Amino acid sequence: MNLADFIAILADELQLPGAEITADAALEGLGVQSIDVIQVVQRVELALGRSVGDLDIAEVETVAQLHRALVGTQREVTRARVARETRHEAMRRHLGVDPLADCRTLIDVVHRRAALTPDAEALRFDERPCSFRELADEIAAAARALRAMGVVAGDKVVIVSPNCREFFALYYGVLHLRAAAVPVFHGSGGERIAAIARHCDARLIVATAPLEPARRDELQAALPGATLVQGAGVLAERGLDDERPLPRPHAEDLAMLQYTSGTTGDAKGVMLTHQALVANIRQMIPSTQFHQGDVFVSWLPVYHDMGLITMTMCPLYLGARLVLLPVSLRPRAWLEAITRHRGTMTAAPDFAYRYALRFAGDAARYDLSSLRFALVAAEPVRASTVRAFEEVHGLRDILRPGYGLAEACVGVALWPFEEQGLAVDERGVVAVGRPLPDIEIDIRDDDRSLPPGECGEICFRSPSQTLGYFRDPERTAAAHTPDGFLRTGDRGYLDERGVLFVVGRIKELIIVAGRNVSPRELEEVAERCEGVAGAMALGVDGGGDVGEQIHLFVEVRAASGRDEAIARDVRERVHEQLGLRPERVHVVRRGAIPRTYNGKLQYQRMRAQLAEERITIH
């Protein structure tokens, strides 16, 4: 029975026009009562010719969820029931009693943690400690300041901030007002900041430190009339006499827009609610075996998912200690902080561990023996990296691969603690583990599920998954399967044990040092340069320590002898706008970039030409 037939049954029982019932309609909003559910179940069982069995529908809130619970195949129903049991039991089995079990939003978490462990150290930045009580007070002060500036429920606030203590007051202050935070890379150029602010209709843009004059001028030129607040001290001066109670967000409120790539034409804002974020935190904690006694040490940027959710929200939930470092060129600071603070948990992309091996100096100066878990994720994991880092620092089974994406908040799968060593297939692909609690992974060819060992698109279903892409219903619809799974754009397979191997990407995406970059994002910057008629960006991994690197191909309007100047201009503009430096800018003749008959870029053809060195350079 498909969803349309199910909706027809539900509409008949409720005596409502079928057109009024959509897949995402809330059951309570439709007036569904317990007797209605019983009657619908009876009709579904009659139509299916079988019993649907006893089901726990505590987590069922929408029409689509009820359809999936009742009408899925017996295998799907059983799997869903097991997943729900796993979700609830995993936290209880790991923590025993969870004092935050009834918290439904991130602000609930902040307040509960401040009440339970007010004087414990929540955060240490630049060797300045901050307790949970101090953090909650700073968040409340920021919320009042933002309210004084006109921020209300439903607004979007763009946050431009490096790693710093002030980021947390601002981020959670936005959420306290039932608004949505939009963190962006602190090195973004003014045009990119403006494009994101324009795309989400941001109420204001807040930079925790003053922007350089050139970047500020570029932002204001690209977005005239934008409300820009610079410096955390400016916020501190506002709302001091406001004693009104602060609002509290609802679980279904939008908490964050995570812009994964794009500048203007390809902007993609992943919508994450409070309930999705809290769900993913609860999925990660038992799988990673995080606990209150952990010391998290992070030099990942807080503007993006792994650095923000895994490395700052999980310790906040647990009442664990976070040592946050500036994003830096110097891996020595990272390893020294683990040594000095006896860090037990850290995380980084594969590139960062390779980088530390090369540039952190004599390994003997560091004592990483306190580490019990180091996550390796955000880009393809190399077995050679894991083995070399552990060997150099005298570790064993500490670096554990994981897989995730912004559309799941962050975490999807993790190499389990009970496994020793790594699993590597015949192609050299490292296993990234099993699904986190309450996450279902299915490998598909279109909408056909593939058996173990067969490679296809990785799809997942989770309470932590995104609502979709902001103001992009077509892309949102394309990303979802009819039965509620989300397409990741990654290729992989599940082995007979249910272990996930990620073997490549369907979508064109470049991963530079763990940072996801859309080719279109690079191409748009290049195409705004004088003399450039068209552009194509590729990620090329030569197998060295650097990993994937950017190759930009730019077509020039006419031969002018300015190829070197054009290449230099493109390289500089990309660095100014995105904080990235292309490995190579190839200036090619007009028409050299392969396209389909309707003008679509053919990335694989260009990749093949590059491999065969058949590209004609001016």
Side-chain angles (χ1 to χ4, degrees):
M1 180 184 293
N2 61 31
L3 181 59
D5 292 337
F6 178 76
I7 287 177
I9 290 176
L10 184 61
D12 187 51
E13 285 297 330
L14 299 178
Q15 297 183 4
L16 292 173
E20 292 185 10
I21 302 179
T22 61
D24 59 354
L27 297 176
E28 289 186 4
L30 295 172
V32 175
Q33 300 179 31
S34 57
I35 187 64
D36 300 320
V37 174
I38 293 294
Q39 291 171 335
V40 168
V41 168
Q42 289 176 343
R43 291 184 58 173
V44 166
E45 289 179 329
L46 184 63
L48 294 177
R50 63 170 171 82
S51 170
V52 299
D54 296 327
L55 299 174
D56 179 0
I57 62 170
E59 303 294 329
V60 172
E61 297 180 352
T62 69
V63 171
Q65 290 170 347
L66 183 60
H67 169 259
R68 185 163 63 242
L70 300 181
V71 186
T73 65
Q74 194 61 44
R75 174 174 173 270
E76 290 173 332
V77 169
T78 302
R79 184 171 56 181
R81 186 187 304 136
V82 170
R84 280 195 296 273
E85 291 169 352
T86 302
R87 180 186 180 191
H88 294 302
E89 289 299 321
M91 285 288 280
R92 284 199 293 267
R93 186 167 56 252
H94 176 59
L95 295 180
V97 176
D98 178 9
L100 279 73
D102 61 330
C103 292
R104 303 184 67 220
T105 73
L106 292 172
I107 297 303
D108 290 344
V109 170
V110 168
H111 284 276
R112 182 66 57 79
R113 185 44 62 196
L116 291 172
T117 53
D119 299 319
E121 184 176 309
L123 166 69
R124 178 175 291 261
F125 182 79
D126 198 21
E127 292 303 328
R128 292 171 51 225
C130 174
S131 70
F132 286 101
R133 177 192 287 127
E134 290 171 329
L135 182 61
D137 289 345
E138 290 172 9
I139 289 168
R144 290 189 172 89
L146 290 163
R147 183 165 62 182
M149 299 188 68
V151 175
V152 297
D155 281 345
K156 317 295 183 296
V157 177
V158 171
I159 302 173
V160 185
S161 176
N163 288 8
C164 62
R165 176 169 167 170
E166 292 76 15
F167 170 84
F168 298 97
L170 182 56
Y171 179 88
Y172 288 101
V174 170
L175 271 54
H176 217 316
L177 299 177
R178 300 188 64 195
V182 188
V184 301
F185 173 46
H186 63 278
S188 296
E191 288 183 8
R192 174 170 170 76
I193 297 169
I196 290 175
R198 188 185 304 112
H199 186 264
C200 68
D201 277 342
R203 163 73 66 173
L204 73 158
I205 302 165
V206 183
T208 54
L211 300 179
E212 303 88 344
R215 193 153 58 124
R216 181 198 61 216
D217 294 345
E218 184 181 44
L219 167 61
Q220 293 176 334
L223 194 63
T227 302
L228 172 63
V229 180
Q230 299 184 79
V234 177
L235 278 177
E237 300 167 2
R238 299 170 183 264
L240 297 178
D241 57 350
D242 185 356
E243 297 181 357
R244 293 173 295 162
L246 289 168
R248 296 286 282 265
H250 300 167
E252 63 274 13
D253 283 349
L254 185 65
M256 178 168 69
L257 286 179
Q258 178 77 80
Y259 276 85
T260 62
S261 65
T263 50
T264 53
D266 196 35
K268 194 165 71 166
V270 176
M271 297 187 288
L272 301 175
T273 63
H274 282 266
Q275 60 191 2
L277 288 160
V278 172
N280 202 221
I281 292 167
R282 289 172 174 153
Q283 289 167 330
M284 286 189 286
I285 285 172
S287 298
T288 54
Q289 298 185 13
F290 293 158
H291 56 73
Q292 190 174 33
D294 272 324
V295 178
F296 289 65
V297 178
S298 179
W299 68 328
L300 297 175
V302 293
Y303 79 91
H304 208 254
D305 46 20
M306 187 160 69
L308 176 58
I309 303 168
T310 307
M311 295 303 293
T312 77
M313 291 184 185
C314 285
L316 174 63
Y317 187 99
L318 288 163
R321 184 176 171 221
L322 167 63
V323 178
L324 182 67
L325 307 171
V327 177
S328 169
L329 291 173
R330 300 169 182 82
R332 177 184 295 185
W334 176 34
L335 303 187
E336 284 179 343
I338 294 172
T339 300
R340 182 167 60 257
H341 294 283
R342 307 308 295 150
T344 61
M345 191 283 168
T346 194
D350 190 282
F351 167 81
Y353 293 100
R354 297 197 307 271
Y355 188 77
L357 284 169
R358 289 288 306 276
F359 301 109
D362 184 5
R365 77 174 72 199
Y366 310 113
D367 178 5
L368 307 188
S369 61
S370 60
L371 279 179
R372 60 178 193 83
F373 173 53
L375 177 63
V376 192
E379 66 179 3
V381 178
R382 300 181 184 181
S384 59
T385 302
V386 173
R387 290 165 181 157
F389 192 90
E390 290 193 338
E391 181 179 352
V392 164
H393 293 287
L395 306 174
R396 184 176 179 181
D397 295 330
I398 298 299
L399 272 66
R400 296 197 169 267
Y403 170 71
L405 64 163
E407 285 83 351
C409 288
V410 59
V412 172
L414 179 72
W415 187 239
F417 273 76
E418 60 268 22
E419 298 283 354
Q420 295 182 341
L422 299 173
V424 185
D425 71 8
E426 64 278 3
R427 290 169 289 192
V429 176
V430 177
V432 294
R434 295 192 179 94
L436 303 184
D438 210 14
I439 293 183
E440 297 172 81
I441 293 178
D442 201 19
I443 308 299
R444 300 198 172 183
D445 179 9
D446 290 328
D447 288 326
R448 179 174 66 92
S449 292
L450 298 177
E454 286 197 28
C455 194
E457 183 171 17
I458 300 168
C459 300
F460 77 94
R461 187 163 63 188
S462 170
S464 68
Q465 73 191 50
T466 177
L467 296 175
Y469 302 111
F470 186 69
R471 287 185 171 171
D472 199 338
E474 291 184 5
R475 184 177 275 164
T476 297
H480 287 81
T481 67
D483 54 348
F485 279 78
L486 200 70
R487 307 180 193 276
T488 67
D490 292 319
R491 294 181 69 251
Y493 67 92
L494 291 167
D495 70 9
E496 293 288 347
R497 300 182 302 158
V499 172
L500 178 65
F501 291 77
V502 182
V503 302
R505 294 191 293 274
I506 297 170
K507 59 191 177 185
E508 285 294 337
L509 191 69
I510 301 170
I511 303 180
V512 182
R515 176 181 170 188
N516 292 354
V517 186
S518 163
R520 188 64 200 142
E521 165 171 46
L522 294 154
E523 292 154 5
E524 286 180 352
V525 175
E527 287 169 357
R528 289 197 293 269
C529 295
E530 185 178 354
V532 175
M536 174 189 280
L538 291 179
V540 179
D541 189 343
D545 286 335
V546 174
E548 204 160 60
Q549 298 174 288
I550 298 166
H551 283 245
L552 254 172
F553 301 86
V554 295
E555 292 179 341
V556 293
R557 302 184 189 281
S560 63
R562 297 186 58 252
D563 294 355
E564 289 187 10
I566 289 173
R568 185 168 56 252
D569 185 29
V570 168
R571 189 176 289 107
E572 290 174 354
R573 287 294 296 275
V574 168
H575 181 249
E576 289 172 0
Q577 287 300 307
L578 305 176
L580 297 166
R581 286 188 175 86
E583 167 66 15
R584 178 84 182 275
V585 176
H586 307 267
V587 180
V588 299
R589 59 175 174 78
R590 190 77 177 262
I593 294 177
R595 295 176 173 85
T596 63
Y597 71 93
N598 60 356
K600 186 177 180 180
L601 296 176
Q602 295 181 302
Y603 292 96
Q604 294 307 315
R605 275 189 61 192
M606 179 62 91
R607 195 180 298 280
Q609 291 180 20
L610 180 64
E612 297 171 9
E613 298 183 348
R614 290 192 291 109
I615 299 169
T616 302
I617 309 293
H618 270 294

